[in-house]
């Protein structure tokens, strides 16, 4: 079975709680991700911020041309995470029940990557193709 560590993305820079709304949005847009984990100085996941979380704040703050909102004010606290040793099948089962499209991957309490729904779908599709060949 395919493990999360085999399909996760390791090369992304997480957000931090003290980033402003414009900084966080710039970071999200540059990452080409729908959301990113929020970490402290020791790379412990403290939250998750998605594009969806930012929209209401962008709407109000851009209208008033003023923003004092920080990532810690917008982020989802206690996000669902997975371990690199979880299987793609286990994660797919979690995704079928829960809404997140991106899961932070945590090992020994430290962020080591993220895994997106598309990566899980590709892994399961690869597995299915192998079944048909056999």
């Amino acid at each position: 079975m395919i493990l999360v560590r085999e399909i996760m993305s390791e090369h992304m820079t997480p957000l931090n709680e003290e980033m402003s709304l414009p900084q966080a949005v710039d970071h999200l847009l540059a990452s080409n991700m729908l959301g990113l984990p929020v970490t402290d100085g020791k790379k412990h996941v403290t939250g998750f911020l998605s594009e969806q979380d930012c929209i209401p704040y962008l709407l109000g703050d851009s209208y008033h041309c003023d923003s004092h909102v920080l990532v810690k004010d917008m982020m989802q606290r206690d996000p669902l995470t997975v371990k690199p040793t979880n299987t793609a099948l286990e994660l797919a089962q979690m995704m079928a029940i829960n809404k997140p499209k991106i899961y932070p991957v945590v090992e020994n309490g430290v962020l080591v990557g993220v895994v997106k729904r598309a990566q899980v779908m590709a892994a399961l599709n690869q597995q299915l193709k192998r079944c048909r060949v056999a």
Side-chain angles (χ1 to χ4, degrees):
M1 181 51 58
I2 299 167
L3 299 177
V4 167
R5 81 166 23 101
E6 298 170 51
I7 60 172
M8 70 182 193
S9 301
E10 297 176 50
H11 305 290
M12 63 69 223
T13 306
L15 302 169
N16 72 63
E17 292 186 5
E18 299 303 318
M19 282 181 163
S20 68
L21 173 59
Q23 289 172 319
V25 170
D26 284 345
H27 199 79
L28 277 170
L29 294 173
S31 74
N32 289 318
M33 301 282 279
L34 297 173
L36 287 169
V38 180
T39 59
D40 63 17
K42 296 180 180 178
K43 292 194 82 171
H44 297 119
V45 176
T46 60
F48 192 88
L49 185 71
S50 70
E51 291 176 341
Q52 183 72 32
D53 298 325
C54 294
I55 291 289
Y57 294 96
L58 280 170
L59 182 62
D61 290 1
S62 64
Y63 178 80
H64 295 289
C65 225
D66 186 32
S67 180
H68 297 86
V69 178
L70 300 176
V71 167
K72 66 182 174 186
D73 302 321
M74 302 178 288
M75 71 182 191
Q76 302 165 28
R77 299 190 181 275
D78 301 318
L80 297 172
T81 63
V82 293
K83 296 177 183 174
T85 54
N86 285 114
T87 66
L89 182 59
E90 290 169 330
L91 181 50
Q93 290 170 329
M94 289 174 64
M95 288 180 159
I97 297 168
N98 300 299
K99 295 288 183 195
K101 298 169 184 73
I102 301 170
Y103 281 72
V105 182
V106 177
E107 187 169 39
N108 299 319
V110 175
L111 179 69
V112 294
V114 294
V115 62
K116 299 185 293 186
R117 181 171 51 193
Q119 292 166 306
V120 174
M121 289 177 60
L124 295 177
N125 194 40
Q126 181 183 353
Q127 183 86 18
L128 178 61
K129 287 178 184 178
R130 277 191 248 147
C131 294
R132 290 185 177 169
V133 172

